[in-house]
Amino acid sequence: MFRALGFAALLFAASAAQTPAWAQDGHGAHPQPGHGHGHQHADFQSDRIHVRVDGDMDGRDIILIPGLSSSPEIWQGTVDHLTAQDGVGWRVHRVHVQGFAGAPAEGNAQGDAPAPVAAPVAEEIARYIRENNLSKPVVVGHSMGGTIGLMLAARHPDSVGRLMVVDMIPFMGAMFGPPGTTADSVKPVADQIYAAQANSPREAYVAQATTAINGMINTESRREEALEDMRTSDQKVSAAAFRELVTTDLRPELTKIAVPTEVLYVKFNDPRMTPQITDAIYQMSYAGLPGVTLKRIDDSAHFIMFDQPQAFYGELDAFLAR
């Protein structure tokens, strides 16, 4: 019952108060076709990520992590919302994963065999927090960004103040096999998916991903930016990251997460998956995280911040105020 065939398509494209030095934009090594570049970048050297910084440079820190093949631009509405609030100063750190949305693959480049992307990125974000002396930042991650947020909160519990996961479960592999599927047992399926995605002719890959992304965003006017992110992403990096998501089971690590955590989700994009079945899947998936808040957002596809921005901002504001 819990094998959601639509989920594959859903995610295919799918301290000490030393202020860090922020470098003015001019990030020539990280071009972003189709996106404006009048912001700042953190002075942080990494071949896995670079970080865009907006808002009040003396404000409270919040880190926004996009999903598979996505740009930091998916968070622009969220940044505008946070920085427009009276009396609340936010310094917003938007992660850009190398190989996604126009950024050169660099350390995330894939060789003959698929290599992890999400786990090394989580480690780099932990280093970013540490080296820039961020004190318990809020972390918000969408899709694969939610996986990275879970990794960060479980493996570096002292680095995170609170965590919001947007439409992601801790073990995607459960959706690709029968009950009892494990990270090891799903690897052959994940390898087949990787081979198909990584080696697909570009035109066929883009066509398939376009169909998938259109199903992930109900608001037609918001689809093109996500499609542009996909078209300007490295195909092998995206394929390897997807394989990693399928084979990564974070459920045993949920008990290590001690910070307030909220999960926003939508009904699975499959007519056979009712809201009640979706609720049950999320409840079972996060059973190992005591105190987690699970909230279903209706009338939305995977990109909740696109389809239901006011509902998303309301949930975020309430979460940040607790």
Side-chain angles (χ1 to χ4, degrees), residues 244-309:
E244 180 186 7
L245 294 178
V246 174
T247 58
T248 298
D249 186 356
L250 294 177
R251 291 174 300 180
E253 298 186 53
L254 294 179
T255 56
K256 300 177 183 178
I257 298 176
V259 299
T261 302
E262 180 165 336
V263 181
L264 303 182
Y265 64 96
V266 300
K267 187 187 84 67
F268 289 126
N269 187 21
D270 185 313
R272 294 166 293 181
M273 304 299 288
T274 66
Q276 292 73 28
I277 292 176
T278 302
D279 291 345
I281 290 173
Y282 270 86
Q283 290 161 7
M284 290 193 314
S285 296
Y286 283 96
L289 182 50
V292 66
T293 299
L294 302 175
K295 174 73 174 182
R296 191 182 76 241
I297 305 296
D298 291 326
D299 301 316
S300 178
H302 185 49
F303 282 73
I304 299 174
M305 67 288 288
F306 286 2
D307 287 336
Q308 291 291 342

